Amino acid sequence: MFTFRIRHLAALSLSALLIAAGCGSNSNSANNAGSTGANVNPNPSPPIVETSSPAPDKLNIKVSFYPLYEFTKNIVGDLADVETLVPAGIEPHDWEPTARDMAAINDADVLVYNGAGMEAWAEQVLDSASGSKLITVEASKGLEIMEGTGEEEAHAEGEADDHDHADEDHEHADEAHAEEEPGHDHHHGGLDPHVWLAPALAIKEVRTIEAALSAASPENAAAFHTNADSYVAKLEQLDQDFKDGLAGTKRTDFITQHAAFGYLAKEYGLTQVPIAGLSPEQEPSAAQMAEIVEFAKAHDVKTIFFETLVSSSVADTIAQEIGAKAAVLNPIEGLTDEDRSNKLDYVAIMRQNLEALKAALNE
């Protein structure tokens, strides 16, 4: 009691001095003995750490890029914290994690990534995570992964001579070959990672993620399964809408700036004719450009598709050359500012893609 009275009087004296000096006039100051400032809530709330921090067993999940965020978030709801590594508006193919990103990954419980060569940095993360608590989930594991083009492999490996040879072969390829195997040239090309653009394969990725998260957090497995079932129902309806909407179109071939739609094309009986390879940053050769122009004229193509997050200059050039228009076919590798402002998500953007394809294939 004696100690308390001394401290209490000291606090009152300090408050009186502050008021006399004009440093504060809040009447609550005299009612908060032991306070270090003049403006103190007389009924302080519990510390933030006790009221807003996640539960100790709440999973900390990092995902590589946007579609995997949506798949994962729809599974876990509010039962886990989910954060995307690739910033919004950034093209993810060539993104590399910073030291801070690597630290965040190492501090996480789970890392969800697509695989199939999409995340060039994944191997480094897996090596560094060896022996740690980090659970890694390759969402495309178990799927039949398609190969890219010969040009893509040469570009990735920097083998200029092989690249020139591939361009030469591509230049002399006949029109039938362009129709039969556009974007699917199995000349030892790199892997095509764009599985999420076929809703049927997106469903399989969701189930792979669900299984891994349920193993990581068994107490939430039932909730994860219920959430996944609800989201998969939406994807199944989306798949059916694609089947119905793309059945019986006037044409089945479509030209894209980036070879991202091979799985979608295969799933619905279409033919993707890519201007360049798997990487959106890969510039087509003059021979490739000439071949695409020839194909477009021969097949009376009226729409050249480009994508978000990269320049549309190549598609614009070809469209202008053949008197066609350029339109968006979105690979959903990240949301744009416009997407976010319109509150669009994977399902909504895929429906936009469906409408764009229906319009182009019925021209």
Side-chain angles (χ1 to χ4, degrees):
M1 179 67 72
F2 180 73
T3 302
F4 170 77
R5 289 175 61 84
I6 290 177
R7 289 178 178 170
H8 185 64
L9 290 172
L12 288 175
S13 299
L14 176 59
S15 298
L17 288 172
L18 289 172
I19 293 171
C23 295
S25 57
N26 192 319
S27 61
N28 288 331
S29 300
N31 296 322
N32 285 280
S35 170
T36 57
N39 293 307
V40 178
N41 189 334
N43 299 300
S45 301
I48 291 177
V49 68
E50 295 179 12
T51 61
S52 63
S53 62
D57 58 349
K58 194 173 185 181
L59 290 177
N60 174 9
I61 305 172
K62 296 291 186 288
V63 300
S64 55
F65 65 109
Y66 172 70
L68 300 175
Y69 170 85
E70 174 150 340
F71 298 165
T72 303
K73 189 63 178 174
N74 274 279
I75 294 167
V76 303
D78 294 328
L79 297 175
D81 296 321
V82 186
E83 182 179 1
T84 308
L85 292 167
V86 178
I90 300 298
E91 213 295 319
H93 280 81
D94 299 320
W95 179 84
E96 291 289 340
T98 64
R100 179 177 295 181
D101 295 321
M102 291 294 289
I105 293 170
N106 289 332
D107 287 341
D109 298 307
V110 181
L111 169 66
V112 180
Y113 67 105
N114 185 75
M118 182 66 183
E119 300 93 344
W121 46 268
E123 186 174 344
Q124 176 188 358
V125 170
L126 296 179
D127 288 343
S128 66
S130 179
S132 73
K133 66 167 187 174
L134 182 67
I135 297 171
T136 58
V137 186
E138 183 178 8
S140 66
K141 187 173 183 179
L143 299 181
E144 183 178 349
I145 302 301
M146 298 165 58
E147 294 180 14
T149 64
E151 290 87 345
E152 182 71 15
E153 179 188 48
H155 176 79
E157 296 179 358
E159 297 173 356
D161 291 341
D162 288 346
H163 186 76
D164 291 340
H165 180 68
D167 283 347
E168 183 178 344
D169 287 346
H170 196 73
E171 182 178 6
H172 292 93
D174 59 24
E175 184 176 291
H177 177 76
E179 287 186 282
E180 292 171 2
E181 296 188 304
H184 301 287
D185 186 359
H186 291 262
H187 293 174
H188 310 290
L191 298 178
D192 183 349
H194 303 89
V195 292
W196 64 89
L197 289 171
L201 300 184
I203 289 171
K204 293 181 179 180
E205 290 204 297
V206 169
R207 290 305 189 188
T208 296
I209 297 169
E210 178 209 339
L213 296 182
S214 294
S217 181
E219 66 275 17
N220 291 314
F224 291 168
H225 185 66
T226 299
N227 293 343
D229 282 351
S230 178
Y231 188 59
V232 163
K234 296 179 182 180
L235 297 180
E236 288 173 339
Q237 183 60 58
L238 180 66
D239 179 45
Q240 187 60 51
D241 291 343
F242 265 82
K243 289 175 180 176
D244 295 342
L246 298 175
T249 55
K250 291 181 181 180
R251 62 190 312 127
T252 59
D253 46 61
F254 61 98
I255 296 177
T256 64
Q257 181 170 309
H258 168 204
F261 299 91
Y263 294 97
L264 183 152
K266 181 179 180 180
E267 198 70 27
Y268 304 111
L270 305 178
T271 301
Q272 173 188 228
V273 183
I275 299 171
L278 296 174
S279 171
E281 302 300 330
Q282 183 180 351
E283 291 291 334
S285 67
Q288 287 173 296
M289 292 280 282
E291 182 181 355
I292 290 295
V293 168
E294 182 180 350
F295 178 90
K297 289 180 177 178
H299 292 79
D300 195 27
V301 174
K302 295 181 173 63
T303 300
I304 307 296
F305 286 115
F306 67 95
E307 64 190 68
T308 56
L309 303 184
V310 296
S311 170
S312 64
S313 59
V314 172
D316 291 337
T317 298
I318 293 177
Q320 185 175 11
E321 174 72 19
I322 65 174
K325 65 178 180 295
V328 170
L329 198 60
N330 194 335
I332 323 182
E333 293 173 353
L335 297 182
T336 65
D337 291 339
E338 183 177 359
D339 293 335
R340 292 193 299 275
S341 66
N342 291 327
K343 301 186 184 306
L344 298 181
D345 58 13
Y346 170 86
V347 173
I349 295 173
M350 283 298 292
R351 291 194 180 282
Q352 289 182 342
N353 283 343
L354 173 58
E355 294 305 312
L357 281 168
K358 285 166 60 178
L361 296 177
N362 285 302
E363 289 176 322

